[in-house]
Amino acid sequence: MPRLRSLVLRLAMAAQVAAAGAATAQVAPSISLAEQMRTMLAKPAAGGGAAPAAPVFSAAPAVTSASALAALNAPLVANGPAQVRQSATELAQRFPAAHRSAMTKAYEESFIFWQKLETQLGLTPNDAAAGVAAFIAGNYTAFMQQAVPDENFKSLVLQMQRMLAQNPAFMQSSPAAKRAMFEQLAMVGTFMVVYREHLNSKPNPNEEVNFRNAAKANLEAALGLGVERIQIGPQGLVAR
């Protein structure tokens, strides 16, 4: 995920709210969302039926400059009506009732932060592939305890553009469905990075264990790979 230290203070309140909830509710994995993403990335199995196995990741050209990004960029804009509150509310349902309001707010704040990152990184607004990349990179950052450099993240976006464009399930889904998936993936990915920053500054061993377990569950459900096989580098996501 892009370096966020210069911007994290703008989400400090959301991180504090999340910390208060996680002390008892903990950070819940987004398994259903991750599985939906996995379906969108994988090529349909012959004859349909069972859920697809792990997506096959072909390397993306490394992005070395803004001009390179512009030349390779093929955004898949989720142009359905914004439904940020609904998306955040649905994500918050994974938490106990006492924490849902706070988590809804945290996810809404995360999406606002994500929109600022789109601008900072020169990404096309509302690109569904960037939302997928945010989910992957955010959980990767959370689990690996290391940020993904900006250029590697941009390569990941290009890689996800190619994969989504080749998947009929995504391309044929409704504008509203694409928008909901984009918003929720961007929310969770951004939130995971912000929460990682929170735990880095205020370590809590109990929260740390649950947080990394949630990130691991998200990645493995989304990619169909063990976390030990996942690496994000100059050519995007690579299965080792």
Side-chain angles (χ1 to χ4, degrees):
M1 193 69 169
R3 295 185 299 274
L4 301 178
R5 291 187 181 279
S6 64
L7 297 174
V8 163
L9 289 178
R10 303 184 71 161
L11 259 178
M13 183 175 296
Q16 290 168 1
V17 165
T24 54
Q26 301 186 330
V27 178
S30 306
I31 298 299
S32 60
L33 179 62
E35 290 176 343
Q36 178 188 5
M37 190 191 85
R38 179 175 170 183
T39 300
M40 291 296 183
L41 290 178
K43 293 182 178 180
V56 177
F57 299 101
S58 56
V63 178
T64 57
S65 66
S67 60
L69 176 65
L72 298 168
N73 194 32
L76 299 166
V77 177
N79 55 11
Q83 45 189 301
V84 175
R85 171 56 65 88
Q86 179 180 338
S87 294
T89 300
E90 288 178 2
L91 288 175
Q93 295 308 301
R94 298 175 296 115
F95 292 83
H99 302 287
R100 288 173 189 165
S101 177
M103 290 308 304
T104 296
K105 178 65 173 176
Y107 284 128
E108 287 183 293
E109 292 287 341
S110 294
F111 189 72
I112 293 171
F113 192 29
W114 165 252
Q115 291 177 311
K116 295 182 184 298
L117 286 173
E118 287 178 325
T119 299
Q120 179 188 356
L121 294 172
L123 302 176
T124 299
N126 305 323
D127 180 4
V132 172
F135 183 90
I136 295 171
N139 282 284
Y140 182 89
T141 293
F143 182 79
M144 300 296 184
Q145 300 175 292
Q146 62 184 43
V148 175
D150 292 357
E151 299 311 317
N152 292 0
F153 180 75
K154 293 175 185 178
S155 293
L156 181 62
V157 172
L158 299 180
Q159 185 183 30
M160 295 303 108
Q161 287 175 352
R162 286 165 39 188
M163 294 190 70
L164 285 179
Q166 295 171 2
N167 188 280
F170 172 78
M171 297 303 291
Q172 295 170 13
S173 61
S174 69
K178 289 175 182 172
R179 180 73 191 196
M181 185 185 80
F182 160 68
E183 289 180 352
Q184 292 192 358
L185 290 171
M187 285 176 182
V188 172
T190 306
F191 174 80
M192 296 299 279
V193 173
V194 172
Y195 203 85
R196 163 52 58 208
E197 292 290 336
H198 169 76
L199 287 178
N200 287 348
S201 62
K202 296 183 179 180
N204 182 310
N206 291 331
E207 288 183 26
E208 180 69 40
V209 170
N210 181 70
F211 181 61
R212 295 189 74 224
N213 285 342
K216 178 177 184 290
N218 284 341
L219 287 170
E220 293 185 342
L223 304 177
L225 298 168
V227 290
E228 70 280 355
R229 296 189 58 198
I230 299 168
Q231 184 173 14
I232 299 175
Q235 293 185 303
L237 179 65
V238 177
R240 295 183 289 189

